[in-house]
């Protein structure tokens, strides 16, 4: 460090940092273990999980994230040659089918990851390794609320543990199970400052639901049971006669209460059937309440709007019939798609790690493996296609003018490299990707959700040229799709 300072003339902290990592302790049981105190406590996580299962609005919010976040995906494999890419495809297909047996494989695992992030803000899972079979046997979800982090000052790192919920089994220090750093992963969508714990995306929804929406719904449920025939029925009952001299005041009140209860039970059964029969000493009054229900509706609407704001959602996406323009709906939909794309990145990284571990166990060597989600569902497919066409033409013009390289143009269009640059200029184009130590191949495997398998879609199609004049069959030709497409664009 001293030599580095002397050469560069930059004064740097000797220990690597001058600030101190704050690792507050939790009171009670976890203080003995020394785990880090989360900013979002575990009780709130339990409440949010309960909302996901039981609250209609929050459950629909999670469902919207899952439905938009899983339009299908593909796997891109970079390997030294086609043989290794083919071996990787075969292995990945075997893994994809068994990776999550609770929900038919990798497609169900994607849904589970999206669900977990939507309500908890994190992915918490472990790859279960079959050492004898040299493979990832399956993936298990480790409940987010059971994860505790312990800060190690020597390494300046946080290490994950699972709080054991059973008396038996493999348990570590004070019932905390140390989680393996290679097989277990905890990915947080967002954290508060340096805290290792994830911040759930919709923490602000707790108060609107518990303090506004739930009391309103509870009151409506109680009132609805008493409305009868769309109103409130009031029965005025003449109290029973009092026995003079032999009955105390307390005994009389008890007997009168029993009499009112008996009358109530008798009338309740009649009202529920639409028929009301009463004695001559009972006066029945029926007050309709439909005119006053509008106030209840407005109050409940306010509570729902607060909940939707906390979930970063709009009433229209929850089935509310608020009138809105098509342009506004399109803008809001794109905003929701952008939020989902942010969540997809965690799912992408987690599944990539699982596939990388499985390929390593199988001895299949690849340079890289990447997951790419398909484009989200479009509200205006024709308009999007026209926009994409204009974008491609613009990129082609910039490439021809020399403003950007073909690979830079491909990256603007969402691809890694330009597969056939010679289709633009008519000759081979040198680029940095051509001067590698060894030639590499990149293969894309699209996940077919109908059969739950990855399929290779080749970049070439076979064209049969027919029969020569002498009767002999002409040799078939192979024409790359990208080359034909680019040539049509030049025309």
């Amino acid at each position: 460090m001293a030599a580095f300072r002397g050469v560069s003339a930059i004064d740097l902290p000797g220990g690597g940092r001058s600030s101190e990592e704050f690792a507050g302790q939790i009171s009670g049981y976890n203080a003995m273990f020394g785990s880090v105190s989360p900013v979002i406590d575990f009780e709130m996580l339990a409440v949010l999980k309960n909302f996901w299962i039981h609250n209609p609005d929050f459950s629909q919010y999670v469902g919207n994230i899952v439905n938009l976040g899983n339009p299908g995906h593909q796997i891109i494999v970079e390997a030294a040659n086609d043989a290794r890419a083919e071996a990787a495809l075969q292995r990945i297909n075997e893994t994809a089918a068994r990776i999550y047996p609770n929900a038919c494989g990798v497609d169900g695992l994607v849904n589970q990851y999206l669900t977990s992030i939507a309500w908890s803000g994190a992915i918490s899972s472990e790859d279960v390794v079959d050492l004898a079979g040299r493979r990832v046997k399956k993936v298990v979800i480790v409940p987010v609320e059971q994860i505790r982090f312990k800060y190690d000052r020597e390494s300046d790192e946080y290490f994950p543990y699972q709080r054991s919920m059973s008396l038996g089994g493999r348990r570590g220090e004070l019932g905390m199970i140390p989680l393996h750093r290679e097989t277990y992963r905890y990915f947080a969508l967002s954290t508060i400052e340096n805290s290792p714990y994830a911040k759930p995306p919709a923490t602000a929804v707790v108060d609107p639901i518990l303090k506004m929406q739930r009391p309103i719904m509870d009151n409506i449920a109680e009132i609805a049971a008493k409305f009868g025939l769309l109103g409130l029925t009031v029965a005025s009952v003449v109290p029973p006669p009092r026995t003079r001299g032999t009955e105390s005041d307390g005994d009389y009140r008890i007997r009168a209460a029993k009499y009112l209860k008996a009358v109530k039970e008798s009338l309740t059964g009649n009202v529920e059937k639409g028929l009301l029969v009463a004695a001559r000493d009972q006066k029945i009054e029926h007050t309709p309440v439909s005119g006053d229900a509008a106030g209840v509706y407005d109050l409940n609407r306010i509570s729902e709007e607060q909940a939707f704001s906390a979930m970063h959602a709009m009433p229209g996406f929850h089935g509310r019939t608020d009138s809105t323009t098509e342009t506004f709906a399109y803008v809001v939909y794109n905003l929701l798609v952008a939020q989902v794309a942010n969540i997809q990145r965690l799912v992408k990284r987690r599944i990539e790690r699982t596939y990388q571990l499985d390929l390593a166990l199988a001895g299949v060597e690849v340079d890289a493996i990447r997951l790419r989600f398909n484009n989200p569902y479009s509200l205006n497919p024709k308009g999007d296609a026209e926009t994409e066409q204009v974008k491609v033409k613009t990129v082609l013009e910039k490439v021809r003018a020399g403003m950007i390289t073909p690979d830079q143009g491909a990256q603007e269009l969402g691809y890694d490299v330009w597969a056939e640059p010679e289709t633009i200029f008519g000759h081979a184009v040198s680029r940095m990707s051509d001067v590698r130590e060894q030639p590499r191949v990149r293969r894309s495997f699209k996940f077919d959700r109908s059969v739950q398998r990855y399929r290779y879609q080749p970049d070439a199609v076979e064209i049969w040229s027919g029969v020569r004049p002498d009767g002999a069959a002409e040799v078939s030709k192979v024409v790359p799709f990208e080359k034909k497409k680019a040539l049509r664009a030049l025309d």
Side-chain angles (χ1 to χ4, degrees):
M1 179 60 69
F4 178 76
R5 290 178 182 173
V7 173
S8 63
I10 299 177
D11 186 18
L12 299 175
R17 64 182 293 182
S18 59
S19 61
E20 180 182 4
E21 187 71 15
F22 175 76
Q25 305 301 315
I26 305 174
S27 60
Y29 173 83
N30 294 301
M32 296 185 294
F33 171 68
S35 59
V36 181
S37 176
V39 182
I40 305 300
D41 57 28
F42 303 113
E43 288 75 14
M44 178 174 287
L45 278 178
V47 170
L48 290 172
K49 177 178 276 190
N50 185 275
F51 284 172
W52 160 49
I53 299 173
H54 299 291
N55 182 267
D57 292 335
F58 196 81
S59 178
Q60 190 175 24
Y61 150 75
V62 175
N64 288 342
I65 296 295
V66 175
N67 291 331
L68 283 175
N70 189 10
H73 67 276
Q74 53 186 305
I75 289 291
I76 297 93
V77 175
E78 292 186 9
N81 50 55
D82 284 329
R84 291 187 179 180
E86 180 67 23
L89 171 62
Q90 182 178 355
R91 179 68 181 205
I92 290 174
N93 270 329
E94 295 175 0
T95 306
R98 67 169 183 269
I99 196 172
Y100 194 58
N102 291 346
C104 72
V106 68
D107 199 40
L109 183 61
V110 171
N111 291 338
Q112 181 59 51
Y113 282 160
L114 291 169
T115 298
S116 180
I117 298 172
W119 75 262
S120 72
I123 289 177
S124 174
S125 66
E126 184 174 18
D127 301 326
V128 180
V129 178
D130 180 1
L131 296 177
R134 299 184 61 82
R135 63 179 186 176
V136 174
K137 181 179 180 181
K138 61 180 179 178
V139 174
V140 294
I141 304 300
V142 184
V144 177
E145 64 272 19
Q146 295 180 10
I147 300 304
R148 304 290 185 271
F149 284 95
K150 187 175 181 180
Y151 178 65
D152 182 70
R153 296 187 180 277
E154 293 184 3
S155 62
D156 192 24
E157 293 184 75
Y158 293 96
F159 294 97
Y161 292 77
Q162 180 186 11
R163 182 175 179 180
S164 177
M165 296 290 104
S166 61
L167 297 178
R170 181 179 59 86
R171 304 208 301 171
E173 181 181 2
L174 296 175
M176 294 292 184
I177 302 174
L179 298 172
H180 198 278
R181 303 194 67 181
E182 186 63 40
T183 59
Y184 173 78
R185 287 291 184 273
Y186 181 101
F187 288 163
L189 179 65
S190 177
T191 62
I192 299 178
E193 297 175 341
N194 290 341
S195 173
Y197 295 96
K199 176 197 173 298
T203 52
V205 80
V206 174
D207 279 352
I209 290 181
L210 290 182
K211 297 181 179 180
M212 296 177 63
Q213 189 177 108
R214 185 170 180 177
I216 292 174
M217 291 293 101
D218 290 343
N219 288 333
I220 290 177
E222 293 180 2
I223 295 173
K226 300 176 182 179
F227 276 173
L229 300 178
L230 299 179
L232 183 62
T233 301
V234 179
S236 300
V237 181
V238 177
R242 183 171 182 174
T243 305
R244 295 181 179 272
T246 60
E247 189 176 27
S248 64
D249 292 341
D251 293 339
Y252 176 73
R253 285 194 295 269
I254 293 175
R255 186 163 63 87
K258 291 182 179 179
Y259 174 73
L260 291 177
K261 182 178 180 181
V263 173
K264 175 187 175 183
E265 293 176 352
S266 176
L267 293 180
T268 300
N270 290 330
V271 171
E272 290 178 352
K273 297 177 181 178
L275 175 65
L276 182 59
V277 179
R280 293 174 60 185
D281 61 348
Q282 299 171 1
K283 181 181 179 181
I284 308 299
E285 295 179 350
H286 183 75
T287 304
V289 295
S290 57
D292 299 330
V296 177
Y297 173 80
D298 292 337
L299 186 61
N300 183 56
R301 180 176 177 177
I302 293 174
S303 70
E304 285 188 336
E305 289 177 350
Q306 290 293 312
F308 294 150
S309 297
M311 293 183 288
H312 313 284
M314 297 295 294
F317 286 102
H318 287 260
R320 303 306 183 266
T321 56
D322 295 342
S323 60
T324 184
T325 63
E326 183 177 353
T327 302
F328 179 74
Y330 188 77
V331 171
V332 173
Y333 177 76
N334 285 334
L335 178 61
L336 182 59
V337 168
Q339 295 173 356
V340 170
N342 196 28
I343 294 176
Q344 286 177 331
R345 280 188 279 272
L346 267 70
V347 180
K348 160 187 166 65
R349 296 303 182 192
R350 183 65 188 95
I351 295 180
E352 286 173 352
R353 285 185 175 271
T354 298
Y355 282 154
Q356 288 169 356
L357 176 59
D358 186 70
L359 291 176
L361 290 172
V364 179
E365 296 183 6
V366 295
D367 295 335
I369 179 168
R370 297 192 301 276
L371 184 146
R372 178 184 295 166
F373 281 98
N374 299 336
N375 293 329
Y377 306 105
S378 174
L379 293 180
N380 185 9
K382 181 179 179 182
D384 292 345
E386 293 174 350
T387 302
E388 181 69 15
Q389 184 178 14
V390 172
K391 187 176 180 180
V392 170
K393 289 183 178 179
T394 302
V395 169
L396 281 172
E397 291 176 0
K398 291 194 292 185
V399 172
R400 294 194 192 101
M403 298 174 61
I404 58 176
T405 65
D407 285 350
Q408 289 174 330
Q411 291 165 8
E412 286 191 16
L413 296 174
Y415 302 93
D416 296 321
V417 295
W418 200 290
E420 300 288 344
E422 60 270 18
T423 59
I424 305 176
F425 304 103
H427 57 81
V429 179
S430 63
R431 55 188 183 187
M432 292 302 298
S433 59
D434 293 333
V435 290
R436 297 177 177 176
E437 295 181 359
Q438 297 180 4
R440 298 297 186 209
V441 297
R442 180 184 289 105
R443 296 293 178 259
S444 178
F445 306 118
K446 186 175 182 180
F447 187 71
D448 189 343
R449 304 177 78 175
S450 62
V451 295
Q452 296 291 303
R453 288 179 61 83
Y454 293 97
R455 295 187 182 279
Y456 172 55
Q457 292 186 333
D459 299 331
V461 292
E462 185 174 333
I463 307 299
W464 184 251
S465 301
V467 180
R468 295 189 314 194
D470 57 2
E474 190 176 14
V475 178
S476 62
K477 299 178 181 179
V478 176
V479 181
F481 255 160
E482 286 82 359
K483 186 177 295 186
K484 289 180 61 181
K485 185 167 55 178
L487 291 174
R488 285 197 298 268
L490 291 175
D491 294 338

